[in-house]
Amino acid sequence: MLSHSRKGYTEGVWRQTTESFIRSLENAFRHYGGVTATVVIDNLKAGVIQPDWFDPEINPKLAEFARHYGTVIMPTKPVKPRHKGKVEAGVKYAQNNAIKGRTFASLAAQNLFLAQWEKNVADTRIHGTIRQQVGKLFEMVERPALQPLPAGLFPVF
């Protein structure tokens, strides 16, 4: 989720591996149409080998991905939930609004549904904190600030 506009990108994966995490980040950048200057992540095992507020050890594959995209990976402070409140709120919103009570024939079907939900529901809502329409604020403020996408995808495997 982007911090200013609260524009999200939602994708389901079978397992949270380093490769699936990197592909999801890459898919988010492509969805947004550009790259953010920084990516704040939780201290998930797929991305952070050793959590530390001052000197975290980032997974080497993720660090190389960040170099490829020209962004910086910044893990949240360990054991400090307030450092990731916006992201947690976005996850809760998607779980309670998009997928709660629904079943899908496949992971692909779920992700197709989530993409449509982001476009038709999440992006059109007036966010309670920023009091603006998420998609419009993204287009006006955040999209123009994104860095360009590299020519090719990151070779994970």
Side-chain angles (χ1 to χ4, degrees):
M1 175 178 55
L2 298 178
S3 182
H4 184 73
S5 69
R6 307 314 204 268
K7 179 163 177 57
Y9 171 78
T10 310
E11 178 179 347
V13 295
W14 289 115
R15 290 180 38 234
Q16 195 176 63
T17 64
T18 300
E19 289 77 15
S20 69
F21 182 59
I22 286 172
R23 281 296 172 229
S24 294
L25 285 173
E26 190 165 54
N27 291 341
F29 288 155
R30 300 219 170 261
H31 173 76
Y32 296 143
V35 181
T36 57
T38 59
V39 178
V40 178
I41 64 170
D42 197 357
N43 288 286
L44 70 163
K45 291 181 192 239
V48 180
I49 294 172
Q50 182 62 46
D52 185 272
W53 180 237
F54 298 103
D55 190 23
E57 185 180 352
I58 305 294
N59 183 302
K61 282 185 183 178
L62 184 59
E64 189 59 35
F65 168 82
R67 279 188 288 280
H68 177 80
Y69 273 88
T71 189
V72 175
I73 304 293
M74 296 175 45
T76 58
K77 193 169 187 177
V79 198
K80 296 290 183 191
R82 72 178 187 274
H83 283 218
K84 55 185 177 171
K86 291 177 187 175
V87 172
E88 292 296 331
V91 170
K92 185 177 176 182
Y93 175 62
Q95 287 175 336
N96 291 335
N97 188 290
I99 60 176
K100 188 174 185 175
R102 290 186 169 87
T103 57
F104 301 93
S106 65
L107 187 60
Q110 179 180 341
N111 285 332
L112 183 62
F113 173 82
L114 288 169
Q116 290 301 311
W117 174 82
E118 285 285 351
K119 180 181 175 184
N120 299 319
V121 177
D123 283 358
T124 62
R125 79 190 189 279
I126 304 297
H127 191 277
T129 303
I130 60 173
R131 304 218 187 285
Q132 293 187 49
Q133 191 177 49
V134 171
K136 285 183 181 177
L137 184 59
F138 166 73
E139 291 296 336
M140 289 186 324
V141 177
E142 284 180 316
R143 187 186 295 271
L146 294 174
Q147 301 171 84
L149 292 164
L153 297 175
F154 178 70
V156 173
F157 306 100

